[in-house]
Each structure stands twice: as structure tokens, then as C-alpha cells.
């Protein structure tokens, strides 16, 4: 069970249970408490942090932080940051919980109590459907092995989890539990279904020894050739990095955010010690940069960009290695390289990205995916129709971009 965070009753109470626990909607004054709770929760994730919700507010979402609070001890027991958005033509809302809820999945009773209160409240907000994408794996490793643990260990034991966090057995159990609780699995996942993660629990020498020889060579080459890595200190640093984002976007033909988006992300996440922008330079010239977060025991590589110049100096290899070392020093036991292709097809647009990430000695993580809980069936059908139309238009746009690039 996660060690709850003590505090006087937060936010406003919206539901009371017979055992004395309460559902409460958190307010602005509860940000510090909420972030501490997320960081201390097993599988607590960046996408459940307060600043991430505020970042999504600028893109049209309404962040809602709702938690199960124990009145007797004055502690949070479970919670979720849900992002709300209107479903056109229905007067209803779509609620989305990315990489959450934030709770101890091994405590089934607490999970069910929290979800019951969450359903009750979301119905009062005219939510038609709730979508959750827990940060839980269904498979770990190239061959999808159940767990890296010994038979004597249980998924609740941190030593039985990859990177101290991930247990495929637990993910599979939670998927079954969600199904039994009325959720339905949907193929319309929003987050990447697969990623590669590196176990940071060992010492640096062991972590490096798991990398492909060419990756270790390239990292050492970058250092020998004079590449230096530092953390961004100002918005001017971020502006120079964004210039590389535009170069990378044109070269690799991918969609990118606006400068203002990255500025808000860097300022808010850095203020909470939740992210850093690492810059690789050679003789005073910026060659590459990566945006990396760290929440709880998880480091995440979020965004990257590089120049067209001096790519033979391998700045990206040294950047990733230094980011892993930083995440480990900050207490992370796992480093998520944040998404790979959904298949091993060499023709996949992300095949090159996948190949680069495979070299770091991590394991392929396939998540349990997305689950929907439907409150209003008619509005849900309208929502699905609109979402699939948008997906078709997005795929067609990507096809046109590839044709134009070729």
C-alpha cells in the first residue's frame, strides 16, 4: 500500500462513503500535496502531475483532480487527474485519465472504492465516457515474458518488478479486474502502446554493459570529440533548442508543438524539479537537445531535436547517457524512452526510432492499453464516430506528408 500523504482536508468534498472516507475535488492550493502523492504512488507518472494538467489546459482540456481522502487519518489514499473535453453535438463530456489513476493497484478494495466514487462524481458532471490508460505493462521483453522475477516473488514485491516498477503479471491482473468492473478494452489508445525502458536499478557500469557495443562506442566517441552536455538555464537556451526542433521536423517530417507550448512545459516542470532540458554542444555550437522528466522513480525521455551539422560526432548518444545518469541520481530506477513502433515492421515510419532505442539495453514494454467506462451509450457512439473520423483524416495527412517527402 502506498504511504499516503497527510494533510488537512483538501479541496471540496463531493461524495461520502459509509466507512468515513470521502471523495474530494482538489483546488489550486493542493498542488504541492497532489504532486507529492503522485510521486510516492507506485507507477506514479508525469502525466498525472499537476503541471501536466495545466499544460493540457492550454490545449483545450479541463484538468480535474479528484481523490479518495481518509477523514480519520487526514490522508489521501487514491486519486486521478482526469482531463475533460466536450463531445460535440451531445452536451456531454469525455473524461480521460492518462497513465493513471494514481493508486496502489495491489489494494483491490481501495481501487474499487475509489472507482465507485469517481463514477458517481463524473455522472454529475455529464461525462458520457471515462477512458483510462494505466501505466501498467501487459508484456515485458522481446518475447513478452511474464516477468523478470523468480517464482518465489510476487508482483507486489518491488524486487520482482522490472526497474522496480513494472510487473506484467500485475498488469494482466488489473486488465482482468477492470473488465470485471464494467470497463471495456478499446483499440483507440491515446498513448503509445509500446515503449522501451531501461532498468536503472543497477550501477552505471552494469547499465552500460547492457547496451549494444556500438552505442557504448558512440557515447565514448562523442565525449572524446569534445561534445559537452549541460542543462538549459534560460528561455534563450530553450529558443535555441526549438530552432533545432524546426530543423528536425523538416528533416524527419513529424508534427511538433509550438514554441510557447515548450516554454510553458519547461517553466512549469522545471519549477517543480520534474524535468530538465539537456543540451549537447561542440565548440560553443548547439548540436542537439532532449527534454527529460523525472517523477518518483521514473525518468522519461519526452522530446528530442538535433542539427543537420556534425551528426557524425554522435551528440544524441551522449545526451541519452547523461540523461539516464541524471535520472538515476535523482532517484529513478527506470528510464522510459517514450514510445516505439507498434510493430516490428521495418517499413513502419517509426522503425528508425525503434532501432535507436533498442540499442540502450532496455526491454520492450507493451502496456495493457486503454479501457472505456460508458455512462451515456448514445453520446459514446457519437464520440467514437467522431474520433475515428479524426483518426482517418490524421492518417491521410500523414500519408500525404510521406508522399511529399519521397
Amino acid at each position: 500500500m502506498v504511504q499516503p500523504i497527510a494533510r488537512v482536508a483538501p479541496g471540496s468534498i463531493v461524495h461520502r462513503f459509509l466507512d468515513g472516507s470521502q471523495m474530494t475535488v482538489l483546488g489550486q492550493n493542493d498542488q504541492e500535496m497532489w504532486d507529492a502523492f503522485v510521486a510516492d504512488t507506485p507507477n506514479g507518472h508525469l502525466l498525472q502531475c499537476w503541471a501536466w494538467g495545466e499544460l493540457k489546459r492550454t490545449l483545450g482540456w479541463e484538468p480535474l483532480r479528484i481523490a479518495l481522502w481518509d477523514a480519520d487519518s487526514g490522508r489521501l489514499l487514491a486519486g486521478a487527474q482526469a482531463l475533460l473535453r466536450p463531445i460535440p453535438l451531445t452536451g456531454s463530456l469525455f473524461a480521460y485519465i492518462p497513465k493513471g489513476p494514481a493508486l496502489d493497484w495491489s489494494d483491490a478494495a481501495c481501487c474499487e472504492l475509489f472507482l465507485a466514487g469517481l463514477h458517481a462524481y463524473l455522472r454529475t458532471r455529464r461525462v458520457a465516457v471515462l477512458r483510462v490508460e494505466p501505466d501498467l505493462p501487459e508484456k515485458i521483453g522481446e518475447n513478452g515474458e511474464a516477468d523478470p522475477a523468480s517464482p518465489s516473488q510476487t508482483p507486489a514485491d518491488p524486487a520482482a518488478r522490472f526497474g522496480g516498477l513494472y510487473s506484467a503479471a500485475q498488469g494482466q491482473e488489473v486488465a482482468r479486474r477492470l473488465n470485471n468492473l464494467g470497463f471495456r478494452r478499446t483499440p483507440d489508445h491515446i498513448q503509445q502502446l509500446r515503449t522501451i525502458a531501461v532498468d536503472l536499478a543497477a550501477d552505471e557500469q552494469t547499465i552500460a554493459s547492457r547496451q549494444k557495443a556500438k552505442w557504448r562506442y558512440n557515447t565514448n566517441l562523442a565525449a572524446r570529440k569534445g561534445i559537452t552536455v549541460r542543462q538549459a538555464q534560460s528561455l534563450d537556451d530553450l529558443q535555441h533548442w526549438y530552432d533545432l526542433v524546426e530543423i528536425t521536423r523538416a528533416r524527419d517530417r513529424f508534427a511538433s508543438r509550438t514554441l510557447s507550448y515548450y516554454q510553458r512545459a519547461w517553466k512549469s516542470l522545471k519549477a517543480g524539479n520534474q524535468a530538465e532540458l539537456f543540451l549537447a554542444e561542440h565548440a560553443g555550437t548547439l548540436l542537439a537537445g532532449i527534454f527529460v522528466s523525472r517523477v518518483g522513480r521514473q525518468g522519461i525521455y519526452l522530446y528530442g531535436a538535433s542539427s543537420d551539422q556534425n551528426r557524425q560526432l554522435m551528440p544524441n548518444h551522449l545526451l541519452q547517457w547523461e540523461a539516464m545518469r541524471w535520472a538515476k541520481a535523482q532517484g529513478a530506477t527506470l528510464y522510459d524512452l517514450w514510445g516505439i513502433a507498434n510493430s516490428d515492421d521495418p517499413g513502419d515510419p517509426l522503425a528508425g526510432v525503434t532501432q535507436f532505442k533498442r540499442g540502450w539495453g532496455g526491454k520492450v514494454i507493451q502496456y495493457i492499453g486503454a479501457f472505456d467506462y460508458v455512462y451515456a451509450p448514445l453520446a459514446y457512439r457519437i464520440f467514437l464516430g467522431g474520433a475515428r473520423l479524426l483518426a482517418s483524416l490524421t492518417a491521410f495527412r500523414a500519408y500525404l506528408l510521406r508522399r511529399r517527402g519521397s
Side-chain angles (χ1 to χ4, degrees):
M1 177 73 180
V2 62
Q3 181 64 37
I5 306 299
R7 192 188 183 285
V8 178
S12 56
I13 296 170
V14 296
H15 191 84
R16 299 178 187 271
F17 293 99
L18 294 178
D19 67 354
S21 58
Q22 303 163 344
M23 293 295 290
T24 179
V25 175
L26 276 61
Q28 192 66 41
N29 293 335
D30 302 311
Q31 177 176 352
E32 183 177 351
M33 176 198 63
W34 173 254
D35 282 342
F37 174 73
V38 170
D40 197 49
T41 302
N43 300 99
H45 199 278
L46 169 70
L47 271 57
Q48 282 295 292
C49 289
W50 197 282
W52 191 265
E54 293 307 304
L55 189 61
K56 292 305 169 183
R57 188 191 297 276
T58 67
L59 299 178
W61 296 89
E62 177 195 348
L64 166 73
R65 295 92 179 183
I66 185 166
L68 178 64
W69 182 67
D70 181 33
D72 292 333
S73 63
R75 298 174 184 272
L76 290 183
L77 302 178
Q81 175 169 259
L83 305 177
L84 308 181
R85 204 164 196 167
I87 301 175
L89 308 177
T90 67
S92 301
L93 297 173
F94 169 57
Y96 173 50
I97 302 178
K99 296 295 184 178
L103 46 75
D104 185 350
W105 289 103
S106 66
D107 189 339
C110 181
C111 294
E112 292 184 21
L113 189 66
F114 170 72
L115 289 174
L118 180 64
H119 293 326
Y121 178 69
L122 292 182
R123 284 189 172 97
T124 69
R125 291 293 307 270
R126 297 184 59 83
V127 169
V129 56
L130 166 66
R131 176 167 296 171
V132 299
E133 284 194 72
D135 187 45
L136 296 170
E138 186 172 46
K139 297 179 181 178
I140 298 176
E142 298 293 340
N143 298 315
E145 59 260 33
D147 270 301
S150 68
S152 63
Q153 295 171 322
T154 66
D157 181 1
R161 299 180 180 185
F162 177 68
L165 295 176
Y166 282 152
S167 162
Q170 182 187 44
Q172 293 160 11
E173 168 59 28
V174 170
R176 288 190 292 268
R177 194 189 309 164
L178 288 173
N179 183 68
N180 292 337
L181 291 173
F183 286 84
R184 60 181 70 174
R185 193 190 292 258
T186 173
D188 300 329
H189 55 89
I190 297 174
Q191 305 304 318
Q192 287 285 344
L193 193 60
R194 298 203 309 169
T195 190
I196 290 178
V198 176
D199 187 344
L200 299 180
D203 59 84
E204 287 187 9
Q205 184 176 359
T206 301
I207 296 170
S209 71
R210 294 169 180 162
Q211 300 167 7
K212 290 184 179 180
K214 184 65 173 178
W215 268 242
R216 292 196 302 272
Y217 175 84
N218 287 344
T219 299
N220 293 330
L221 172 70
R224 290 198 311 271
K225 294 295 185 179
I227 298 293
T228 59
V229 175
R230 66 179 179 89
Q231 296 174 11
Q233 299 298 318
S234 67
L235 289 176
D236 284 342
D237 281 340
L238 188 132
Q239 172 68 71
H240 294 318
W241 173 74
Y242 184 75
D243 293 341
L244 297 187
V245 171
E246 290 292 274
I247 291 172
T248 306
R249 179 189 60 77
R251 181 180 67 232
D252 297 338
R253 299 188 300 279
F254 69 87
S256 65
R257 300 292 190 183
T258 64
L259 172 61
S260 61
Y261 175 89
Y262 291 119
Q263 288 172 332
R264 286 190 294 266
W266 183 72
K267 287 192 292 186
S268 58
L269 293 174
K270 186 175 175 63
N273 195 32
Q274 295 167 332
E276 293 287 352
L277 175 60
F278 291 87
L279 304 174
E281 298 170 328
H282 183 261
T285 300
L286 179 62
L287 297 182
I290 58 175
F291 200 117
V292 181
S293 79
R294 198 280 307 174
V295 171
R297 289 184 292 165
Q298 189 174 65
I300 304 175
Y301 161 48
L302 290 171
Y303 314 112
S306 61
S307 170
D308 291 335
Q309 300 177 351
N310 290 323
R311 301 184 72 186
Q312 77 281 1
L313 298 181
M314 304 298 169
N316 290 303
H317 286 77
L318 188 58
L319 272 172
Q320 289 292 348
W321 176 238
E322 291 300 326
M324 290 181 205
R325 295 182 67 228
W326 168 81
K328 180 177 174 61
Q330 293 290 311
T333 56
L334 183 139
Y335 185 79
D336 183 358
L337 285 155
W338 201 239
I340 59 173
N342 287 334
S343 74
D344 295 325
D345 180 2
D348 190 287
L350 291 177
V353 171
T354 302
Q355 181 181 7
F356 174 74
K357 294 179 179 181
R358 283 187 186 277
W360 292 106
K363 289 193 175 185
V364 174
I365 307 295
Q366 180 169 317
Y367 297 106
I368 63 174
F371 292 78
D372 287 352
Y373 193 96
V374 179
Y375 307 111
L378 178 58
Y380 180 59
R381 287 195 292 272
I382 295 173
F383 164 75
L384 288 181
R388 285 164 186 168
L389 175 60
L390 179 60
S392 297
L393 293 174
T394 301
F396 183 64
R397 178 177 179 272
Y399 166 77
L400 292 179
L401 287 173
R402 290 196 298 271
R403 286 289 301 272
R404 184 181 303 169
S406 62

